[in-house]
Amino acid sequence: QVQVMESGGGVVQPGGSLRLSCAASKSRFGINTMGWYRQAPGKEREFVASITNLFSADYANSVKGRFTVSRDNARNTMDLQMNRLKYDDTAVYYCKVLVATTDPHREEEYWGRGTQVTVSS
């Protein structure tokens, strides 16, 4: 079982910046891709950004150029630097980690409980 915890949420004005962090407990077989998702009130959870253990990053079109994802493999942590925040970025942000198993074709998925980001003037 891998524990996942997000931190760094808060209230920020439009145009401002915020940095989220995700920490995962140690995994016996290693952590593969780590990702950020978000869910706004009344909407489905959506992909924000992800980064592989080889540091290949991917972003949703809505955040490209504004958000930057990074990770530290030694510490099992991932950060999301969010710049030029907009009202539409308001959501609960969740961290997801994909953990390797003894089966090379199967991964286990773990989620954190989320951290609230509110963009408000």
Side-chain angles (χ1 to χ4, degrees):
Q1 191 80 3
V2 174
Q3 307 299 319
V4 180
M5 182 173 292
E6 306 92 342
S7 61
V11 180
V12 62
Q13 292 185 342
S17 298
L18 209 58
R19 189 176 185 90
L20 304 183
S21 294
C22 171
S25 60
K26 192 174 181 179
S27 168
R28 181 180 177 187
F29 298 107
I31 294 175
N32 296 334
T33 299
M34 302 179 76
W36 289 99
Y37 292 73
R38 66 186 182 187
Q39 187 166 20
K43 294 187 177 181
E44 294 187 353
R45 191 172 297 188
E46 64 176 6
F47 169 77
V48 176
S50 65
I51 185 166
T52 70
N53 55 355
L54 297 180
F55 307 106
S56 176
D58 191 19
Y59 299 91
N61 287 334
S62 60
V63 306
K64 275 182 183 176
R66 300 187 298 123
F67 291 10
T68 303
V69 63
S70 60
R71 70 185 278 176
D72 184 329
N73 286 342
R75 297 172 58 219
N76 286 343
T77 59
M78 173 182 63
D79 288 346
L80 184 69
Q81 177 65 42
M82 306 185 294
N83 298 328
R84 304 201 313 272
L85 283 160
K86 305 175 181 180
Y87 291 115
D88 287 347
D89 295 319
T90 295
V92 177
Y93 283 71
Y94 298 89
C95 175
K96 183 180 85 171
V97 300
L98 295 177
V99 177
T101 68
T102 55
D103 182 347
H105 303 292
R106 189 177 72 86
E107 295 175 309
E108 292 181 346
E109 181 178 292
Y110 296 92
W111 290 85
R113 293 184 177 182
T115 184
Q116 177 70 48
V117 172
T118 302
V119 183
S120 174
S121 56

